[in-house]
Amino acid sequence: AFEALTIGAAPQAAANLENNPNVRYVEENGTMEAFEQTTPYGIDITDADLAIDDGNTGAGVDVAVIDTGIDAQHETLQANLGAGYAVVTCTGCAEPWDDDQGHGTHCAGIAGAVDDDGGVVGVAPAVTLHAVKVFDADAYATVSGLSEGIQWVADQGYDVGSMSLGATSSYATLRDACRYAEERGVLLVASAGNDGCSDCVRYPAAYESVVAVSATASGDDLASYSSYGPE
């Protein structure tokens, strides 16, 4: 089982814990950064519109958007919303996993906005979307919080976990959480990053248990701002 504990400890106490044979590792609880995306032309580039016309709409598929939450009352998403989970609670919102920042709702729309002749249509307009809120209103998240969200997705048996986020450093807790999800059949997908460089894919996208996704421009060539690399 995947188990991790978040504690506050002085540097010497942390060093002592690290030397304890019963402790696998001790690491700082780092922070994650939310990545923005552009997109409607992506629907055409990936021929998602043709797939939809063929009846491949994502019906029966559970997609967890691990992010800032999803707007529980959004007109093009509400019909597709399933259960959600809040590592960080949205204060005063309709649901604890509601979106108080906007990033997660944007990403959820790319994945599964309904085909209702209004707004935009998602790549898979009949998927069930699950909000996993790990970021607060300031788009701040911890590694432990993200790892908890990934673990929850795995424990629900969902099909896909989508993460438009990342960090420059690897964390053992996050790596273990991603492996845990992979072992339980979750397809984890994450943004490679927006640093505009090669061999700089961020984590968790860089892990073998996660599909790393770079960004393309409207001409289907690599976007100038996108990170890329062998991952």
Side-chain angles (χ1 to χ4, degrees):
F2 167 63
E3 295 182 3
L5 180 66
T6 304
I7 64 170
Q12 186 57 54
N16 292 338
L17 278 174
E18 197 164 23
N19 292 326
N20 188 317
N22 297 312
V23 177
R24 285 183 58 206
Y25 53 77
V26 176
E27 63 183 354
E28 182 182 359
N29 191 7
T31 60
M32 308 303 294
E33 175 186 349
F35 295 149
E36 285 292 350
Q37 293 188 53
T38 55
T39 314
Y41 58 73
I43 298 288
D44 180 54
I45 288 175
T46 60
D47 286 337
D49 52 340
L50 302 181
I52 293 168
D53 289 343
D54 266 350
N56 298 309
T57 60
V61 176
D62 291 285
V63 176
V65 180
I66 306 170
D67 210 289
T68 62
I70 299 176
D71 183 351
Q73 299 175 325
H74 196 288
E75 59 182 6
T76 61
L77 300 175
Q78 195 171 26
N80 285 352
L81 290 178
Y85 183 74
V87 175
V88 179
T89 300
C90 185
T91 304
C93 299
E95 299 286 349
W97 44 261
D98 216 325
D99 192 355
D100 48 11
Q101 201 274 341
H103 186 266
T105 299
H106 174 70
C107 295
I110 293 170
V114 296
D115 191 2
D116 61 358
D117 298 325
V120 298
V121 62
V123 172
V127 297
T128 300
L129 295 167
H130 302 277
V132 182
K133 183 173 174 58
V134 298
F135 285 96
D136 62 18
D138 295 321
Y140 174 86
T142 62
V143 169
S144 61
L146 174 58
S147 300
E148 180 184 340
I150 294 170
Q151 182 180 16
W152 183 83
V153 171
D155 289 342
Q156 307 319 300
Y158 293 154
D159 301 291
V160 179
S162 177
M163 298 177 285
S164 294
L165 49 82
T168 55
S169 299
S170 175
Y171 295 91
T173 308
L174 182 58
R175 180 198 61 217
D176 284 355
C178 291
R179 285 178 179 168
Y180 179 84
E182 180 191 33
E183 290 167 357
R184 281 151 185 79
V186 181
L187 175 65
L188 291 177
V189 182
S191 169
N194 294 343
D195 299 307
C197 51
S198 64
D199 296 328
C200 61
V201 174
R202 293 209 184 189
Y203 298 91
Y207 295 132
E208 291 186 359
S209 55
V210 181
V211 176
V213 179
S214 294
T216 58
S218 56
D220 206 18
D221 49 348
L222 186 70
S224 60
Y225 59 82
S226 183
S227 301
Y228 61 98
E231 297 84 0

